[in-house]
């Protein structure tokens, strides 16, 4: 038994999250939602940090959105960036079904464009979850730092790309981009950070 399998047995996925994962499969969408123990970690981090303004980059079917929303206080809100309108619609439906439909604002289109708009609007956030197209991870990280309130937390999923970032024979654009993202997370003086090695890797950083 691997450590991940052991944790999966202990940290159970509840029915609401399981139904979202099943709906994603049924719709033929990529099965790339955050691992459920990491989803619970997102909820935990928002609760303990007291984050009120959350930015999600990559909505997919709403799995991570629900995890994020569960940690929010009464006044907490999420802005979720999603390239595909159909994905955002499914995510919003799941958020509504779980009582959080009025807590989330979806912006459709390339995330870099939406991030630029948010910066121009003067928006700032307490928590960021990055789980979208990997080639733009370094771009998303820079925007997150720029849009961060002091002490904001940044979480980035899939830092290992199913082992490709660890394999020196793999050097495609996405792999190189995630390596740069990981290196920045680990070394940037603007951040206090770590990288969790379970599942597909989760980067965590706090903006100074």
């Amino acid at each position: 038994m691997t450590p991940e399998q052991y944790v999966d047995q202990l940290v159970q996925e509840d029915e609401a999250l399981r139904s979202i994962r099943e709906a994603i499969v049924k719709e033929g969408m990529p099965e790339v939602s955050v691992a459920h123990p990491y989803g619970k970690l997102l909820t935990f981090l928002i609760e303990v940090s007291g984050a009120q303004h959350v930015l999600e980059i990559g909505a997919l079917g709403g799995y991570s959105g629900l995890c994020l929303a569960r940690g929010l206080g009464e006044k907490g809100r999420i802005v979720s960036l999603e390239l595909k309108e159909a994905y955002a619609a499914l995510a919003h439906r799941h958020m509504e079904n779980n009582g959080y439909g009025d807590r989330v604002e979806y912006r459709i289109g390339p995330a870099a464009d939406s991030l630029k708009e948010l910066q121009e609007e003067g928006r700032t956030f307490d928590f960021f979850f990055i789980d979208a197209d990997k080639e733009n991870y370094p771009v998303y990280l820079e925007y997150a730092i720029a849009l961060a309130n002091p002490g904001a937390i940044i979480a980035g999923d899939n830092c290992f790309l199913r082992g490709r970032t660890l394999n020196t024979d793999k050097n495609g654009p996405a792999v190189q981009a995630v390596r740069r993202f990981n290196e920045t997370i680990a070394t940037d003086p603007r951040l206090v950070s770590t990288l969790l090695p379970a599942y597909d890797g989760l980067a965590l950083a706090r903006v100074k």
Side-chain angles (χ1 to χ4, degrees):
M1 180 183 295
T2 67
E4 288 87 353
Q5 289 170 332
Y6 179 72
V7 173
D8 287 342
Q9 289 183 355
L10 292 174
V11 183
Q12 294 292 315
E13 190 174 48
D14 61 49
E15 180 57 34
L17 290 171
R18 188 160 51 248
S19 67
I20 294 176
R21 199 181 293 277
E22 291 169 354
I24 287 170
V25 174
K26 184 178 179 181
E27 294 294 326
M29 297 162 62
E31 297 178 51
V32 293
S33 297
V34 65
H36 72 270
Y38 279 165
K40 293 204 172 212
L41 177 60
L42 295 178
T43 303
F44 172 83
L45 288 171
I46 288 181
E47 285 182 347
V48 299
S49 69
Q52 293 293 313
H53 303 285
V54 176
L55 181 62
E56 176 186 46
I57 305 176
L60 193 61
Y63 191 100
S64 59
L66 179 56
C67 294
L68 296 166
R70 285 175 167 177
L72 291 171
E74 285 294 322
K75 296 182 180 180
R77 295 293 182 271
I78 300 170
V79 175
S80 182
L81 312 183
E82 175 53 55
L83 178 64
K84 298 185 179 182
E85 189 169 356
Y87 288 12
L90 180 64
H92 196 200
R93 186 159 71 248
H94 286 140
M95 294 290 276
E96 287 181 329
N97 291 344
N98 287 281
Y100 297 103
D102 62 343
R103 300 286 198 96
V104 60
E105 168 197 347
Y106 291 94
R107 297 201 179 196
I108 312 301
D113 294 346
S114 297
L115 288 163
K116 183 179 179 182
E117 292 171 0
L118 290 167
Q119 188 175 44
E120 291 171 348
E121 293 167 15
R123 300 286 293 273
T124 57
F125 298 89
D126 308 310
F127 195 100
F128 301 82
F129 181 52
I130 303 172
D131 191 11
D133 56 302
K134 309 311 175 192
E135 291 185 29
N136 279 311
Y137 261 39
V139 175
Y140 300 155
L141 179 57
E142 285 301 322
Y143 269 113
I145 294 170
L147 296 171
N149 290 320
I153 295 173
I154 301 171
D157 198 22
N158 305 120
C159 295
F160 296 157
L161 288 179
R162 302 181 187 273
R164 284 183 290 154
T165 55
L166 287 67
N167 186 342
T168 56
D169 293 330
K170 301 292 185 181
N171 290 290
V175 173
Q176 293 186 49
V178 173
R179 284 178 183 147
R180 289 197 303 275
F181 173 86
N182 293 342
E183 289 163 5
T184 303
I185 285 282
T187 63
D188 195 296
R190 297 170 293 179
L191 305 173
V192 177
S193 57
T194 190
L195 190 65
L196 304 185
Y199 300 96
D200 199 28
L202 184 74
L204 293 175
R206 182 178 63 82
V207 181
K208 293 180 179 178

